Amino acid sequence: MLKIAMLSSWHVHAEGYAQQFNGRNDAKVTVVWDEDPVKGKKFAESLSVDFEPDLDKVLARDDVDAVCVNAPTNIHREVMVKAANAGKHIFTEKVLALTIEDCEAIKAAVEKNNVKFCISFPHRTLPHNLLAKKVVEDKILGKITLFRVRNAHNGASADWLPPHFYNEEQCGGGAMIDLGAHPMYLVRWLMGKPAQMSSAFTKVTDHAVEDNAVCIMKYDDGAIAISETGFVSGASPFILEMYGTDGTFIVNAGKVSIASSKITTNADYSGFVTPNQMPQPLPNPVSQFVDGVLYNKEIIFGMQDAIELTEMMVAAYKAHEQNGFVTV
């Protein structure tokens, strides 16, 4: 039985993660810590577990094998280094930290103490994105010339996101560093590290951080990638598009369409087809973490993936501040 401490209810996914842990027969949440005692007590009561206001005491408990980190991003380094030094396995919400220096400190603590680590990259478990990866690896589209991915919702315009999601000090930014993490880690996974990046961040609502954001990335081979996100888009489907010298791949709200000279004998391959077989979904990040700790199964979202996402976000915000292209 894997016993988990929930470290903060700050992130909106904290409750969902707790339910996923408790939904298994080999894992359970045993205690809650929170930087906000009022919210922490309420969260603990909802889970029928103890609330402990002292993080060190949580990490010293015998009924804690692992931690689920949903704390404000700006204290991730402090929380995770302490957890690793206490020998606790770490599951964390993205992003890992706000700076590469903080990421490297977390990495050093994890490696020194030989604890398991998993960051939550759920879009990398979904069939349509797994198929996109195969299409890239098998060069079904030839040379990729343009990649675009969009993930957005109306959390700000419809006013359902918690107020602290607009706290720049805690979050490190707005829509791009939060919801935009999903498109950004997909760009890095499918296209690799870009050479340069430029950002366009705007505010549609009156919050302190950007709620509408786009990053454009240039690659040394001439390819371009576009990462889009926002808190001000109603009924916005997840969209992923790849255009190559030999065809096109499009995902719209989970529906996949492909046109490629590599999969048709027709001279004109402009007509799109829907794949008759999709990859099986991978276990969700929580399941990968529990299985990795208890049964030594593979956790595919590791420390390097986490650091690379922060690297992309650091470049994105630097480009925004400098109002031009920056080196990634």
mmCIF file with all atom_site columns, all heavy atoms in Angstrom, residues 19-45:
data_model
loop_
_atom_site.group_PDB
_atom_site.id
_atom_site.type_symbol
_atom_site.label_atom_id
_atom_site.label_alt_id
_atom_site.label_comp_id
_atom_site.label_asym_id
_atom_site.label_entity_id
_atom_site.label_seq_id
_atom_site.pdbx_PDB_ins_code
_atom_site.Cartn_x
_atom_site.Cartn_y
_atom_site.Cartn_z
_atom_site.occupancy
_atom_site.B_iso_or_equiv
_atom_site.pdbx_formal_charge
_atom_site.auth_seq_id
_atom_site.auth_comp_id
_atom_site.auth_asym_id
_atom_site.auth_atom_id
_atom_site.pdbx_PDB_model_num
ATOM 1   N N   . GLN A 1 19 ? -8.438  11.876 -5.400  1.00 0.00 ? 19 GLN A N   1
ATOM 2   C CA  . GLN A 1 19 ? -9.456  10.885 -5.748  1.00 0.00 ? 19 GLN A CA  1
ATOM 3   C C   . GLN A 1 19 ? -8.857  9.731  -6.544  1.00 0.00 ? 19 GLN A C   1
ATOM 4   O O   . GLN A 1 19 ? -9.237  8.569  -6.354  1.00 0.00 ? 19 GLN A O   1
ATOM 5   C CB  . GLN A 1 19 ? -10.577 11.558 -6.534  1.00 0.00 ? 19 GLN A CB  1
ATOM 6   C CG  . GLN A 1 19 ? -11.421 12.523 -5.712  1.00 0.00 ? 19 GLN A CG  1
ATOM 7   C CD  . GLN A 1 19 ? -12.451 13.263 -6.546  1.00 0.00 ? 19 GLN A CD  1
ATOM 8   O OE1 . GLN A 1 19 ? -12.489 13.147 -7.776  1.00 0.00 ? 19 GLN A OE1 1
ATOM 9   N NE2 . GLN A 1 19 ? -13.289 14.043 -5.883  1.00 0.00 ? 19 GLN A NE2 1
ATOM 10  N N   . GLN A 1 20 ? -7.909  10.044 -7.426  1.00 0.00 ? 20 GLN A N   1
ATOM 11  C CA  . GLN A 1 20 ? -7.268  8.978  -8.201  1.00 0.00 ? 20 GLN A CA  1
ATOM 12  C C   . GLN A 1 20 ? -6.449  8.057  -7.302  1.00 0.00 ? 20 GLN A C   1
ATOM 13  O O   . GLN A 1 20 ? -6.489  6.830  -7.456  1.00 0.00 ? 20 GLN A O   1
ATOM 14  C CB  . GLN A 1 20 ? -6.377  9.589  -9.292  1.00 0.00 ? 20 GLN A CB  1
ATOM 15  C CG  . GLN A 1 20 ? -7.149  10.225 -10.433 1.00 0.00 ? 20 GLN A CG  1
ATOM 16  C CD  . GLN A 1 20 ? -6.217  10.779 -11.500 1.00 0.00 ? 20 GLN A CD  1
ATOM 17  O OE1 . GLN A 1 20 ? -5.387  10.065 -12.052 1.00 0.00 ? 20 GLN A OE1 1
ATOM 18  N NE2 . GLN A 1 20 ? -6.347  12.068 -11.785 1.00 0.00 ? 20 GLN A NE2 1
ATOM 19  N N   . PHE A 1 21 ? -5.717  8.631  -6.366  1.00 0.00 ? 21 PHE A N   1
ATOM 20  C CA  . PHE A 1 21 ? -4.958  7.795  -5.421  1.00 0.00 ? 21 PHE A CA  1
ATOM 21  C C   . PHE A 1 21 ? -5.901  6.919  -4.608  1.00 0.00 ? 21 PHE A C   1
ATOM 22  O O   . PHE A 1 21 ? -5.698  5.708  -4.486  1.00 0.00 ? 21 PHE A O   1
ATOM 23  C CB  . PHE A 1 21 ? -4.126  8.673  -4.482  1.00 0.00 ? 21 PHE A CB  1
ATOM 24  C CG  . PHE A 1 21 ? -2.881  9.245  -5.091  1.00 0.00 ? 21 PHE A CG  1
ATOM 25  C CD1 . PHE A 1 21 ? -2.682  10.623 -5.131  1.00 0.00 ? 21 PHE A CD1 1
ATOM 26  C CD2 . PHE A 1 21 ? -1.905  8.417  -5.627  1.00 0.00 ? 21 PHE A CD2 1
ATOM 27  C CE1 . PHE A 1 21 ? -1.529  11.163 -5.690  1.00 0.00 ? 21 PHE A CE1 1
ATOM 28  C CE2 . PHE A 1 21 ? -0.743  8.944  -6.192  1.00 0.00 ? 21 PHE A CE2 1
ATOM 29  C CZ  . PHE A 1 21 ? -0.564  10.322 -6.221  1.00 0.00 ? 21 PHE A CZ  1
ATOM 30  N N   . ASN A 1 22 ? -6.928  7.534  -4.052  1.00 0.00 ? 22 ASN A N   1
ATOM 31  C CA  . ASN A 1 22 ? -7.858  6.787  -3.195  1.00 0.00 ? 22 ASN A CA  1
ATOM 32  C C   . ASN A 1 22 ? -8.738  5.820  -3.982  1.00 0.00 ? 22 ASN A C   1
ATOM 33  O O   . ASN A 1 22 ? -9.322  4.899  -3.403  1.00 0.00 ? 22 ASN A O   1
ATOM 34  C CB  . ASN A 1 22 ? -8.738  7.756  -2.407  1.00 0.00 ? 22 ASN A CB  1
ATOM 35  C CG  . ASN A 1 22 ? -8.001  8.411  -1.253  1.00 0.00 ? 22 ASN A CG  1
ATOM 36  O OD1 . ASN A 1 22 ? -7.024  7.866  -0.744  1.00 0.00 ? 22 ASN A OD1 1
ATOM 37  N ND2 . ASN A 1 22 ? -8.457  9.588  -0.843  1.00 0.00 ? 22 ASN A ND2 1
ATOM 38  N N   . GLY A 1 23 ? -8.812  6.001  -5.287  1.00 0.00 ? 23 GLY A N   1
ATOM 39  C CA  . GLY A 1 23 ? -9.609  5.103  -6.119  1.00 0.00 ? 23 GLY A CA  1
ATOM 40  C C   . GLY A 1 23 ? -8.923  3.782  -6.404  1.00 0.00 ? 23 GLY A C   1
ATOM 41  O O   . GLY A 1 23 ? -9.548  2.860  -6.935  1.00 0.00 ? 23 GLY A O   1
ATOM 42  N N   . ARG A 1 24 ? -7.649  3.679  -6.041  1.00 0.00 ? 24 ARG A N   1
ATOM 43  C CA  . ARG A 1 24 ? -6.910  2.424  -6.218  1.00 0.00 ? 24 ARG A CA  1
ATOM 44  C C   . ARG A 1 24 ? -6.990  1.599  -4.939  1.00 0.00 ? 24 ARG A C   1
ATOM 45  O O   . ARG A 1 24 ? -7.227  2.130  -3.851  1.00 0.00 ? 24 ARG A O   1
ATOM 46  C CB  . ARG A 1 24 ? -5.444  2.721  -6.555  1.00 0.00 ? 24 ARG A CB  1
ATOM 47  C CG  . ARG A 1 24 ? -5.262  3.400  -7.905  1.00 0.00 ? 24 ARG A CG  1
ATOM 48  C CD  . ARG A 1 24 ? -3.786  3.660  -8.176  1.00 0.00 ? 24 ARG A CD  1
ATOM 49  N NE  . ARG A 1 24 ? -2.987  2.436  -8.163  1.00 0.00 ? 24 ARG A NE  1
ATOM 50  C CZ  . ARG A 1 24 ? -2.289  1.981  -9.196  1.00 0.00 ? 24 ARG A CZ  1
ATOM 51  N NH1 . ARG A 1 24 ? -2.306  2.621  -10.349 1.00 0.00 ? 24 ARG A NH1 1
ATOM 52  N NH2 . ARG A 1 24 ? -1.573  0.872  -9.090  1.00 0.00 ? 24 ARG A NH2 1
ATOM 53  N N   . ASN A 1 25 ? -6.750  0.298  -5.076  1.00 0.00 ? 25 ASN A N   1
ATOM 54  C CA  . ASN A 1 25 ? -6.760  -0.562 -3.882  1.00 0.00 ? 25 ASN A CA  1
ATOM 55  C C   . ASN A 1 25 ? -5.370  -0.741 -3.284  1.00 0.00 ? 25 ASN A C   1
ATOM 56  O O   . ASN A 1 25 ? -5.205  -1.480 -2.313  1.00 0.00 ? 25 ASN A O   1
ATOM 57  C CB  . ASN A 1 25 ? -7.369  -1.928 -4.208  1.00 0.00 ? 25 ASN A CB  1
ATOM 58  C CG  . ASN A 1 25 ? -6.601  -2.664 -5.302  1.00 0.00 ? 25 ASN A CG  1
ATOM 59  O OD1 . ASN A 1 25 ? -5.481  -2.293 -5.650  1.00 0.00 ? 25 ASN A OD1 1
ATOM 60  N ND2 . ASN A 1 25 ? -7.209  -3.708 -5.844  1.00 0.00 ? 25 ASN A ND2 1
ATOM 61  N N   . ASP A 1 26 ? -4.373  -0.058 -3.891  1.00 0.00 ? 26 ASP A N   1
ATOM 62  C CA  . ASP A 1 26 ? -3.009  -0.183 -3.382  1.00 0.00 ? 26 ASP A CA  1
ATOM 63  C C   . ASP A 1 26 ? -2.395  1.174  -3.047  1.00 0.00 ? 26 ASP A C   1
ATOM 64  O O   . ASP A 1 26 ? -1.175  1.317  -2.959  1.00 0.00 ? 26 ASP A O   1
ATOM 65  C CB  . ASP A 1 26 ? -2.124  -0.931 -4.386  1.00 0.00 ? 26 ASP A CB  1
ATOM 66  C CG  . ASP A 1 26 ? -2.125  -0.289 -5.774  1.00 0.00 ? 26 ASP A CG  1
ATOM 67  O OD1 . ASP A 1 26 ? -2.808  0.741  -5.955  1.00 0.00 ? 26 ASP A OD1 1
ATOM 68  O OD2 . ASP A 1 26 ? -1.469  -0.834 -6.672  1.00 0.00 ? 26 ASP A OD2 1
ATOM 69  N N   . ALA A 1 27 ? -3.229  2.196  -2.875  1.00 0.00 ? 27 ALA A N   1
ATOM 70  C CA  . ALA A 1 27 ? -2.738  3.529  -2.539  1.00 0.00 ? 27 ALA A CA  1
ATOM 71  C C   . ALA A 1 27 ? -3.808  4.265  -1.740  1.00 0.00 ? 27 ALA A C   1
ATOM 72  O O   . ALA A 1 27 ? -5.004  4.005  -1.898  1.00 0.00 ? 27 ALA A O   1
ATOM 73  C CB  . ALA A 1 27 ? -2.383  4.314  -3.794  1.00 0.00 ? 27 ALA A CB  1
ATOM 74  N N   . LYS A 1 28 ? -3.371  5.170  -0.883  1.00 0.00 ? 28 LYS A N   1
ATOM 75  C CA  . LYS A 1 28 ? -4.331  5.980  -0.143  1.00 0.00 ? 28 LYS A CA  1
ATOM 76  C C   . LYS A 1 28 ? -3.660  7.247  0.378   1.00 0.00 ? 28 LYS A C   1
ATOM 77  O O   . LYS A 1 28 ? -2.460  7.271  0.680   1.00 0.00 ? 28 LYS A O   1
ATOM 78  C CB  . LYS A 1 28 ? -4.926  5.203  1.030   1.00 0.00 ? 28 LYS A CB  1
ATOM 79  C CG  . LYS A 1 28 ? -3.942  4.844  2.130   1.00 0.00 ? 28 LYS A CG  1
ATOM 80  C CD  . LYS A 1 28 ? -4.652  4.124  3.280   1.00 0.00 ? 28 LYS A CD  1
ATOM 81  C CE  . LYS A 1 28 ? -3.676  3.759  4.400   1.00 0.00 ? 28 LYS A CE  1
ATOM 82  N NZ  . LYS A 1 28 ? -4.361  3.082  5.522   1.00 0.00 ? 28 LYS A NZ  1
ATOM 83  N N   . VAL A 1 29 ? -4.443  8.317  0.435   1.00 0.00 ? 29 VAL A N   1
ATOM 84  C CA  . VAL A 1 29 ? -3.986  9.569  1.034   1.00 0.00 ? 29 VAL A CA  1
ATOM 85  C C   . VAL A 1 29 ? -4.107  9.442  2.547   1.00 0.00 ? 29 VAL A C   1
ATOM 86  O O   . VAL A 1 29 ? -5.145  9.005  3.068   1.00 0.00 ? 29 VAL A O   1
ATOM 87  C CB  . VAL A 1 29 ? -4.822  10.753 0.528   1.00 0.00 ? 29 VAL A CB  1
ATOM 88  C CG1 . VAL A 1 29 ? -4.437  12.039 1.262   1.00 0.00 ? 29 VAL A CG1 1
ATOM 89  C CG2 . VAL A 1 29 ? -4.654  10.930 -0.979  1.00 0.00 ? 29 VAL A CG2 1
ATOM 90  N N   . THR A 1 30 ? -3.050  9.815  3.260   1.00 0.00 ? 30 THR A N   1
ATOM 91  C CA  . THR A 1 30 ? -3.041  9.653  4.713   1.00 0.00 ? 30 THR A CA  1
ATOM 92  C C   . THR A 1 30 ? -3.003  10.970 5.478   1.00 0.00 ? 30 THR A C   1
ATOM 93  O O   . THR A 1 30 ? -3.359  11.008 6.662   1.00 0.00 ? 30 THR A O   1
ATOM 94  C CB  . THR A 1 30 ? -1.834  8.801  5.143   1.00 0.00 ? 30 THR A CB  1
ATOM 95  O OG1 . THR A 1 30 ? -0.629  9.423  4.646   1.00 0.00 ? 30 THR A OG1 1
ATOM 96  C CG2 . THR A 1 30 ? -1.951  7.387  4.605   1.00 0.00 ? 30 THR A CG2 1
ATOM 97  N N   . VAL A 1 31 ? -2.557  12.056 4.850   1.00 0.00 ? 31 VAL A N   1
ATOM 98  C CA  . VAL A 1 31 ? -2.409  13.321 5.563   1.00 0.00 ? 31 VAL A CA  1
ATOM 99  C C   . VAL A 1 31 ? -2.354  14.458 4.550   1.00 0.00 ? 31 VAL A C   1
ATOM 100 O O   . VAL A 1 31 ? -1.984  14.255 3.386   1.00 0.00 ? 31 VAL A O   1
ATOM 101 C CB  . VAL A 1 31 ? -1.133  13.317 6.445   1.00 0.00 ? 31 VAL A CB  1
ATOM 102 C CG1 . VAL A 1 31 ? 0.122   13.204 5.586   1.00 0.00 ? 31 VAL A CG1 1
ATOM 103 C CG2 . VAL A 1 31 ? -1.069  14.538 7.360   1.00 0.00 ? 31 VAL A CG2 1
ATOM 104 N N   . VAL A 1 32 ? -2.715  15.652 4.993   1.00 0.00 ? 32 VAL A N   1
ATOM 105 C CA  . VAL A 1 32 ? -2.658  16.856 4.161   1.00 0.00 ? 32 VAL A CA  1
ATOM 106 C C   . VAL A 1 32 ? -1.806  17.904 4.859   1.00 0.00 ? 32 VAL A C   1
ATOM 107 O O   . VAL A 1 32 ? -1.917  18.101 6.082   1.00 0.00 ? 32 VAL A O   1
ATOM 108 C CB  . VAL A 1 32 ? -4.067  17.427 3.914   1.00 0.00 ? 32 VAL A CB  1
ATOM 109 C CG1 . VAL A 1 32 ? -3.988  18.844 3.324   1.00 0.00 ? 32 VAL A CG1 1
ATOM 110 C CG2 . VAL A 1 32 ? -4.871  16.521 2.998   1.00 0.00 ? 32 VAL A CG2 1
ATOM 111 N N   . TRP A 1 33 ? -0.948  18.542 4.093   1.00 0.00 ? 33 TRP A N   1
ATOM 112 C CA  . TRP A 1 33 ? -0.260  19.772 4.524   1.00 0.00 ? 33 TRP A CA  1
ATOM 113 C C   . TRP A 1 33 ? -0.627  20.866 3.549   1.00 0.00 ? 33 TRP A C   1
ATOM 114 O O   . TRP A 1 33 ? -0.846  20.600 2.355   1.00 0.00 ? 33 TRP A O   1
ATOM 115 C CB  . TRP A 1 33 ? 1.260   19.575 4.517   1.00 0.00 ? 33 TRP A CB  1
ATOM 116 C CG  . TRP A 1 33 ? 1.999   20.891 4.687   1.00 0.00 ? 33 TRP A CG  1
ATOM 117 C CD1 . TRP A 1 33 ? 2.328   21.493 5.855   1.00 0.00 ? 33 TRP A CD1 1
ATOM 118 C CD2 . TRP A 1 33 ? 2.457   21.757 3.638   1.00 0.00 ? 33 TRP A CD2 1
ATOM 119 N NE1 . TRP A 1 33 ? 2.965   22.694 5.614   1.00 0.00 ? 33 TRP A NE1 1
ATOM 120 C CE2 . TRP A 1 33 ? 3.051   22.878 4.249   1.00 0.00 ? 33 TRP A CE2 1
ATOM 121 C CE3 . TRP A 1 33 ? 2.406   21.724 2.244   1.00 0.00 ? 33 TRP A CE3 1
ATOM 122 C CZ2 . TRP A 1 33 ? 3.609   23.939 3.532   1.00 0.00 ? 33 TRP A CZ2 1
ATOM 123 C CZ3 . TRP A 1 33 ? 2.948   22.765 1.512   1.00 0.00 ? 33 TRP A CZ3 1
ATOM 124 C CH2 . TRP A 1 33 ? 3.554   23.857 2.149   1.00 0.00 ? 33 TRP A CH2 1
ATOM 125 N N   . ASP A 1 34 ? -0.717  22.089 4.039   1.00 0.00 ? 34 ASP A N   1
ATOM 126 C CA  . ASP A 1 34 ? -1.044  23.207 3.147   1.00 0.00 ? 34 ASP A CA  1
ATOM 127 C C   . ASP A 1 34 ? -0.404  24.472 3.683   1.00 0.00 ? 34 ASP A C   1
ATOM 128 O O   . ASP A 1 34 ? -0.361  24.680 4.906   1.00 0.00 ? 34 ASP A O   1
ATOM 129 C CB  . ASP A 1 34 ? -2.566  23.394 3.057   1.00 0.00 ? 34 ASP A CB  1
ATOM 130 C CG  . ASP A 1 34 ? -2.994  24.135 1.808   1.00 0.00 ? 34 ASP A CG  1
ATOM 131 O OD1 . ASP A 1 34 ? -2.591  25.308 1.649   1.00 0.00 ? 34 ASP A OD1 1
ATOM 132 O OD2 . ASP A 1 34 ? -3.730  23.551 0.991   1.00 0.00 ? 34 ASP A OD2 1
ATOM 133 N N   . GLU A 1 35 ? 0.101   25.289 2.774   1.00 0.00 ? 35 GLU A N   1
ATOM 134 C CA  . GLU A 1 35 ? 0.664   26.580 3.178   1.00 0.00 ? 35 GLU A CA  1
ATOM 135 C C   . GLU A 1 35 ? -0.418  27.516 3.717   1.00 0.00 ? 35 GLU A C   1
ATOM 136 O O   . GLU A 1 35 ? -0.128  28.478 4.430   1.00 0.00 ? 35 GLU A O   1
ATOM 137 C CB  . GLU A 1 35 ? 1.419   27.233 2.010   1.00 0.00 ? 35 GLU A CB  1
ATOM 138 C CG  . GLU A 1 35 ? 0.558   27.830 0.901   1.00 0.00 ? 35 GLU A CG  1
ATOM 139 C CD  . GLU A 1 35 ? -0.088  26.786 0.008   1.00 0.00 ? 35 GLU A CD  1
ATOM 140 O OE1 . GLU A 1 35 ? 0.292   25.598 0.099   1.00 0.00 ? 35 GLU A OE1 1
ATOM 141 O OE2 . GLU A 1 35 ? -0.969  27.167 -0.791  1.00 0.00 ? 35 GLU A OE2 1
ATOM 142 N N   . ASP A 1 36 ? -1.669  27.216 3.397   1.00 0.00 ? 36 ASP A N   1
ATOM 143 C CA  . ASP A 1 36 ? -2.824  27.949 3.913   1.00 0.00 ? 36 ASP A CA  1
ATOM 144 C C   . ASP A 1 36 ? -3.589  27.005 4.848   1.00 0.00 ? 36 ASP A C   1
ATOM 145 O O   . ASP A 1 36 ? -4.324  26.131 4.379   1.00 0.00 ? 36 ASP A O   1
ATOM 146 C CB  . ASP A 1 36 ? -3.716  28.404 2.761   1.00 0.00 ? 36 ASP A CB  1
ATOM 147 C CG  . ASP A 1 36 ? -4.906  29.239 3.208   1.00 0.00 ? 36 ASP A CG  1
ATOM 148 O OD1 . ASP A 1 36 ? -5.383  29.035 4.342   1.00 0.00 ? 36 ASP A OD1 1
ATOM 149 O OD2 . ASP A 1 36 ? -5.370  30.072 2.428   1.00 0.00 ? 36 ASP A OD2 1
ATOM 150 N N   . PRO A 1 37 ? -3.430  27.157 6.171   1.00 0.00 ? 37 PRO A N   1
ATOM 151 C CA  . PRO A 1 37 ? -4.048  26.208 7.110   1.00 0.00 ? 37 PRO A CA  1
ATOM 152 C C   . PRO A 1 37 ? -5.565  26.104 6.980   1.00 0.00 ? 37 PRO A C   1
ATOM 153 O O   . PRO A 1 37 ? -6.120  25.010 7.149   1.00 0.00 ? 37 PRO A O   1
ATOM 154 C CB  . PRO A 1 37 ? -3.651  26.768 8.483   1.00 0.00 ? 37 PRO A CB  1
ATOM 155 C CG  . PRO A 1 37 ? -2.404  27.550 8.233   1.00 0.00 ? 37 PRO A CG  1
ATOM 156 C CD  . PRO A 1 37 ? -2.591  28.146 6.874   1.00 0.00 ? 37 PRO A CD  1
ATOM 157 N N   . VAL A 1 38 ? -6.228  27.206 6.673   1.00 0.00 ? 38 VAL A N   1
ATOM 158 C CA  . VAL A 1 38 ? -7.687  27.171 6.554   1.00 0.00 ? 38 VAL A CA  1
ATOM 159 C C   . VAL A 1 38 ? -8.104  26.268 5.392   1.00 0.00 ? 38 VAL A C   1
ATOM 160 O O   . VAL A 1 38 ? -8.955  25.381 5.533   1.00 0.00 ? 38 VAL A O   1
ATOM 161 C CB  . VAL A 1 38 ? -8.259  28.592 6.369   1.00 0.00 ? 38 VAL A CB  1
ATOM 162 C CG1 . VAL A 1 38 ? -9.765  28.530 6.099   1.00 0.00 ? 38 VAL A CG1 1
ATOM 163 C CG2 . VAL A 1 38 ? -7.980  29.441 7.602   1.00 0.00 ? 38 VAL A CG2 1
ATOM 164 N N   . LYS A 1 39 ? -7.488  26.468 4.250   1.00 0.00 ? 39 LYS A N   1
ATOM 165 C CA  . LYS A 1 39 ? -7.805  25.633 3.089   1.00 0.00 ? 39 LYS A CA  1
ATOM 166 C C   . LYS A 1 39 ? -7.342  24.188 3.305   1.00 0.00 ? 39 LYS A C   1
ATOM 167 O O   . LYS A 1 39 ? -8.004  23.238 2.877   1.00 0.00 ? 39 LYS A O   1
ATOM 168 C CB  . LYS A 1 39 ? -7.158  26.213 1.834   1.00 0.00 ? 39 LYS A CB  1
ATOM 169 C CG  . LYS A 1 39 ? -7.768  27.538 1.385   1.00 0.00 ? 39 LYS A CG  1
ATOM 170 C CD  . LYS A 1 39 ? -7.108  28.042 0.113   1.00 0.00 ? 39 LYS A CD  1
ATOM 171 C CE  . LYS A 1 39 ? -7.760  29.346 -0.358  1.00 0.00 ? 39 LYS A CE  1
ATOM 172 N NZ  . LYS A 1 39 ? -7.103  29.885 -1.580  1.00 0.00 ? 39 LYS A NZ  1
ATOM 173 N N   . GLY A 1 40 ? -6.196  24.046 3.969   1.00 0.00 ? 40 GLY A N   1
ATOM 174 C CA  . GLY A 1 40 ? -5.669  22.708 4.215   1.00 0.00 ? 40 GLY A CA  1
ATOM 175 C C   . GLY A 1 40 ? -6.583  21.876 5.102   1.00 0.00 ? 40 GLY A C   1
ATOM 176 O O   . GLY A 1 40 ? -6.818  20.695 4.834   1.00 0.00 ? 40 GLY A O   1
ATOM 177 N N   . LYS A 1 41 ? -7.100  22.494 6.155   1.00 0.00 ? 41 LYS A N   1
ATOM 178 C CA  . LYS A 1 41 ? -8.017  21.778 7.052   1.00 0.00 ? 41 LYS A CA  1
ATOM 179 C C   . LYS A 1 41 ? -9.278  21.348 6.310   1.00 0.00 ? 41 LYS A C   1
ATOM 180 O O   . LYS A 1 41 ? -9.774  20.230 6.495   1.00 0.00 ? 41 LYS A O   1
ATOM 181 C CB  . LYS A 1 41 ? -8.362  22.660 8.242   1.00 0.00 ? 41 LYS A CB  1
ATOM 182 C CG  . LYS A 1 41 ? -7.225  22.853 9.227   1.00 0.00 ? 41 LYS A CG  1
ATOM 183 C CD  . LYS A 1 41 ? -7.618  23.797 10.361  1.00 0.00 ? 41 LYS A CD  1
ATOM 184 C CE  . LYS A 1 41 ? -6.456  24.031 11.312  1.00 0.00 ? 41 LYS A CE  1
ATOM 185 N NZ  . LYS A 1 41 ? -6.802  25.005 12.380  1.00 0.00 ? 41 LYS A NZ  1
ATOM 186 N N   . LYS A 1 42 ? -9.780  22.232 5.472   1.00 0.00 ? 42 LYS A N   1
ATOM 187 C CA  . LYS A 1 42 ? -10.982 21.912 4.706   1.00 0.00 ? 42 LYS A CA  1
ATOM 188 C C   . LYS A 1 42 ? -10.719 20.750 3.755   1.00 0.00 ? 42 LYS A C   1
ATOM 189 O O   . LYS A 1 42 ? -11.546 19.840 3.604   1.00 0.00 ? 42 LYS A O   1
ATOM 190 C CB  . LYS A 1 42 ? -11.449 23.143 3.937   1.00 0.00 ? 42 LYS A CB  1
ATOM 191 C CG  . LYS A 1 42 ? -12.748 22.956 3.182   1.00 0.00 ? 42 LYS A CG  1
ATOM 192 C CD  . LYS A 1 42 ? -13.171 24.249 2.493   1.00 0.00 ? 42 LYS A CD  1
ATOM 193 C CE  . LYS A 1 42 ? -14.467 24.052 1.722   1.00 0.00 ? 42 LYS A CE  1
ATOM 194 N NZ  . LYS A 1 42 ? -14.893 25.311 1.034   1.00 0.00 ? 42 LYS A NZ  1
ATOM 195 N N   . PHE A 1 43 ? -9.553  20.774 3.112   1.00 0.00 ? 43 PHE A N   1
ATOM 196 C CA  . PHE A 1 43 ? -9.170  19.708 2.178   1.00 0.00 ? 43 PHE A CA  1
ATOM 197 C C   . PHE A 1 43 ? -9.028  18.388 2.925   1.00 0.00 ? 43 PHE A C   1
ATOM 198 O O   . PHE A 1 43 ? -9.518  17.336 2.482   1.00 0.00 ? 43 PHE A O   1
ATOM 199 C CB  . PHE A 1 43 ? -7.866  20.093 1.486   1.00 0.00 ? 43 PHE A CB  1
ATOM 200 C CG  . PHE A 1 43 ? -7.445  19.189 0.352   1.00 0.00 ? 43 PHE A CG  1
ATOM 201 C CD1 . PHE A 1 43 ? -8.380  18.565 -0.466  1.00 0.00 ? 43 PHE A CD1 1
ATOM 202 C CD2 . PHE A 1 43 ? -6.102  18.977 0.093   1.00 0.00 ? 43 PHE A CD2 1
ATOM 203 C CE1 . PHE A 1 43 ? -7.987  17.743 -1.525  1.00 0.00 ? 43 PHE A CE1 1
ATOM 204 C CE2 . PHE A 1 43 ? -5.695  18.166 -0.961  1.00 0.00 ? 43 PHE A CE2 1
ATOM 205 C CZ  . PHE A 1 43 ? -6.641  17.541 -1.760  1.00 0.00 ? 43 PHE A CZ  1
ATOM 206 N N   . ALA A 1 44 ? -8.376  18.428 4.075   1.00 0.00 ? 44 ALA A N   1
ATOM 207 C CA  . ALA A 1 44 ? -8.183  17.211 4.872   1.00 0.00 ? 44 ALA A CA  1
ATOM 208 C C   . ALA A 1 44 ? -9.524  16.638 5.329   1.00 0.00 ? 44 ALA A C   1
ATOM 209 O O   . ALA A 1 44 ? -9.729  15.418 5.299   1.00 0.00 ? 44 ALA A O   1
ATOM 210 C CB  . ALA A 1 44 ? -7.301  17.513 6.074   1.00 0.00 ? 44 ALA A CB  1
ATOM 211 N N   . GLU A 1 45 ? -10.424 17.504 5.737   1.00 0.00 ? 45 GLU A N   1
ATOM 212 C CA  . GLU A 1 45 ? -11.749 17.052 6.165   1.00 0.00 ? 45 GLU A CA  1
ATOM 213 C C   . GLU A 1 45 ? -12.487 16.361 5.026   1.00 0.00 ? 45 GLU A C   1
ATOM 214 O O   . GLU A 1 45 ? -13.169 15.344 5.234   1.00 0.00 ? 45 GLU A O   1
ATOM 215 C CB  . GLU A 1 45 ? -12.564 18.233 6.686   1.00 0.00 ? 45 GLU A CB  1
ATOM 216 C CG  . GLU A 1 45 ? -12.092 18.751 8.034   1.00 0.00 ? 45 GLU A CG  1
ATOM 217 C CD  . GLU A 1 45 ? -12.801 20.031 8.447   1.00 0.00 ? 45 GLU A CD  1
ATOM 218 O OE1 . GLU A 1 45 ? -13.684 20.492 7.682   1.00 0.00 ? 45 GLU A OE1 1
ATOM 219 O OE2 . GLU A 1 45 ? -12.466 20.581 9.526   1.00 0.00 ? 45 GLU A OE2 1
#
